[in-house]
Amino acid sequence: QVQLGESGGGSVQSGGSLRLSCAASRDTYGAYCLGWFRQSAGKEREGVAFIDLDGVTKYADSVKGRFTISLDNAKNSVYLQMDSVKPEDTAMYYCAADYSGTAYYSGDGGGYGCTSPGGYKNWGQGTQVTVSS
């Protein structure tokens, strides 16, 4: 089982920035997909940002142009830079890793995978982000 540990959450005012980090206990170089998901009270977990083994990234429409996912294989870490945050970004943020290819190969018609939370077996405990207006 791969251990994932998130950090960097906290409280920030609307329009501000945060950088979330996720450290993995296994080489991130071997991951098919690395993703950030979030869940707020009363809502289902939703995908935020993803990066696959080819370095291709994908973002939810709600964060596109504001959030950036990046990977440092030397540190076995994946990051989420959150800029121009909004109150609706308030949620618990989780990182997830797919080392089996289940998420990677789940794309419809061979399209981009990585976005389905069901394809990930490895999850962190989460870090809370609260954005005040």
Side-chain angles (χ1 to χ4, degrees):
Q1 187 75 7
V2 179
Q3 304 298 319
L4 300 171
E6 302 96 335
S7 61
S11 297
V12 62
Q13 288 192 325
S14 181
S17 297
L18 277 177
R19 186 183 190 227
L20 306 184
S21 300
C22 174
S25 62
R26 178 176 169 179
D27 290 344
T28 52
Y29 185 80
Y32 283 85
C33 301
L34 293 160
W36 286 96
F37 294 81
R38 67 186 181 187
Q39 188 169 19
S40 53
K43 295 186 177 181
E44 292 186 356
R45 188 169 297 190
E46 64 171 343
V48 176
F50 312 92
I51 185 166
D52 70 12
L53 59 85
D54 300 312
V56 179
T57 59
K58 188 175 180 68
Y59 298 91
D61 288 343
S62 58
V63 306
K64 201 172 295 182
R66 300 188 297 119
F67 291 9
T68 304
I69 188 170
S70 62
L71 176 63
D72 187 339
N73 286 319
K75 296 183 178 180
N76 294 329
S77 294
V78 61
Y79 306 95
L80 185 68
Q81 179 65 41
M82 306 169 61
D83 297 320
S84 302
V85 296
K86 304 175 180 179
E88 50 263 45
D89 295 322
T90 295
M92 184 72 79
Y93 283 73
Y94 301 88
C95 69
D98 169 33
Y99 284 91
S100 66
T102 302
Y104 182 75
Y105 291 110
S106 67
D108 292 336
Y112 192 87
C114 297
T115 61
S116 172
Y120 292 84
K121 293 184 179 179
N122 304 289
W123 293 85
Q125 294 299 308
T127 185
Q128 178 69 36
V129 171
T130 302
V131 182
S132 59
S133 57

